[in-house]
Amino acid sequence: MTKTTAGAALALALIAVAATLSGCSMEQVSDGKAKHKSFALTGRQLTVVTGDSRLELVPVDREADAAGTRQLDVTRWFKASKLNGKVGADWELEGGDTLRLKVTCKGLMVDCSARHRVEVPRDVAVDVRSQDGRVSASGFSTPLSIRTADGDVEVRGAGADLKLRTADGDIRAEKLRSRSVSARSQDGSLTLGFREPPTSVRTESQDGSTTVTAPRTPYRIRTDTADGSVDVSLPRRKSSPRSIEATAQDGSITLRGS
């Protein structure tokens, strides 16, 4: 028996013992129904800090009030049950520009799932810092930065500078109009698709394949892989003002035209 299997068996045994001793069933703490809250956002920069939750970002039209603030709308779905542990969810806006979405799910017998949807004023740049959970964003025309320690990253239709990082998960960005894109995946595949020719693209992958699809115009291209194949079908030109640099430690690199 492997260490992982033995650990899982031990955990299940402990849960069974706890349930027998308590003689109780799991208590539902939150029913998972949607809850809404609005915040007063100041400035044109938003930082979102989250963990243990799926996160969806959507740009929307919002007019500023007399004080120059605009409404930031958040919807939360949180479902949790526990027998012996601590569960809960909280949200707050610090300093008018930092949204903290906190989910607590600790204990021997707990069961939680969480999802947040954040509607962001359309002209606000966004910086996301996620510990655990999938992050998706669609339709942003302002700078967007997403960093997650554990979870997939999905972006669609971005039109400004884009920075994507994940330590454990896949990155997929499609229908991009961004001129500058930087993407790095520690453990997972990396896929970028462009509707318009980018000016600068830089990708890094430690363990996973890299695929970049872009309009067929000449690029300055540099690829480097320690263990994997390289397939480039995009036009090359050393004097081109457009560049694509792709590095992979262990995985294939594909650069192709759309």
Side-chain angles (χ1 to χ4, degrees):
M1 181 181 291
T2 65
K3 290 183 178 179
T4 301
T5 303
L10 177 59
L12 289 173
L14 289 173
I15 290 174
V17 170
T20 301
L21 292 176
S22 66
C24 301
S25 60
M26 297 279 278
E27 172 194 1
Q28 187 179 72
V29 179
S30 181
D31 59 11
K33 293 181 180 179
K35 290 181 172 56
H36 306 276
K37 189 170 183 179
S38 296
F39 301 89
L41 178 67
T42 61
R44 295 191 176 183
Q45 173 73 41
L46 172 67
T47 299
V48 182
V49 181
T50 183
D52 297 320
S53 174
R54 291 170 55 191
L55 175 64
E56 179 187 8
L57 302 166
V58 181
V60 294
D61 295 321
R62 288 286 187 272
E63 296 291 336
D65 61 17
T69 63
R70 280 166 298 174
Q71 184 170 303
L72 178 71
D73 291 322
V74 183
T75 305
R76 180 179 69 206
W77 295 264
F78 177 60
K79 187 174 183 179
S81 300
K82 73 181 182 71
L83 179 60
N84 182 15
K86 182 179 180 181
V87 300
D90 194 17
W91 41 16
E92 62 178 336
L93 187 68
E94 293 182 353
D97 63 0
T98 300
L99 178 65
R100 296 189 179 274
L101 307 173
K102 185 178 181 181
V103 173
T104 302
C105 191
K106 298 179 180 179
L108 182 61
M109 295 193 68
V110 295
D111 182 21
C112 304
S113 64
R115 178 166 65 96
H116 291 83
R117 174 185 169 95
V118 181
E119 297 182 2
V120 185
R122 197 172 296 279
D123 61 349
V124 171
V126 180
D127 180 13
V128 176
R129 304 168 191 177
S130 172
Q131 285 298 316
D132 185 6
R134 173 178 170 268
V135 179
S136 64
S138 179
F140 279 84
S141 57
T142 51
L144 180 62
S145 175
I146 299 175
R147 290 172 283 176
T148 176
D150 185 4
D152 295 342
V153 176
E154 294 186 7
V155 175
R156 192 176 182 87
D161 289 356
L162 188 60
K163 295 181 180 180
L164 307 175
R165 303 284 187 273
T166 179
D168 186 6
D170 297 333
I171 292 177
R172 187 173 189 87
E174 298 178 327
K175 297 186 176 181
L176 300 178
R177 296 172 289 106
S178 305
R179 292 186 177 183
S180 176
V181 175
S182 174
R184 183 173 63 205
S185 174
Q186 187 76 19
D187 184 7
S189 64
L190 198 161
T191 305
L192 304 178
F194 291 86
R195 293 184 63 179
E196 298 178 7
T199 300
S200 174
V201 178
R202 291 188 178 185
T203 69
E204 296 180 36
S205 175
Q206 290 291 333
D207 186 6
S209 62
T210 298
T211 303
V212 178
T213 305
R216 296 186 61 81
T217 189
Y219 300 89
R220 284 182 288 114
I221 294 175
R222 184 179 72 83
T223 60
D224 184 15
T225 180
D227 185 10
S229 62
V230 176
D231 181 8
V232 178
S233 58
L234 283 170
R236 294 176 181 260
R237 182 184 297 165
K238 292 183 178 180
S239 61
S240 174
R242 307 181 186 278
S243 66
I244 298 177
E245 298 182 17
T247 303
Q249 185 68 27
D250 184 7
S252 62
I253 295 175
T254 301
L255 308 180
R256 62 191 182 193
S258 56

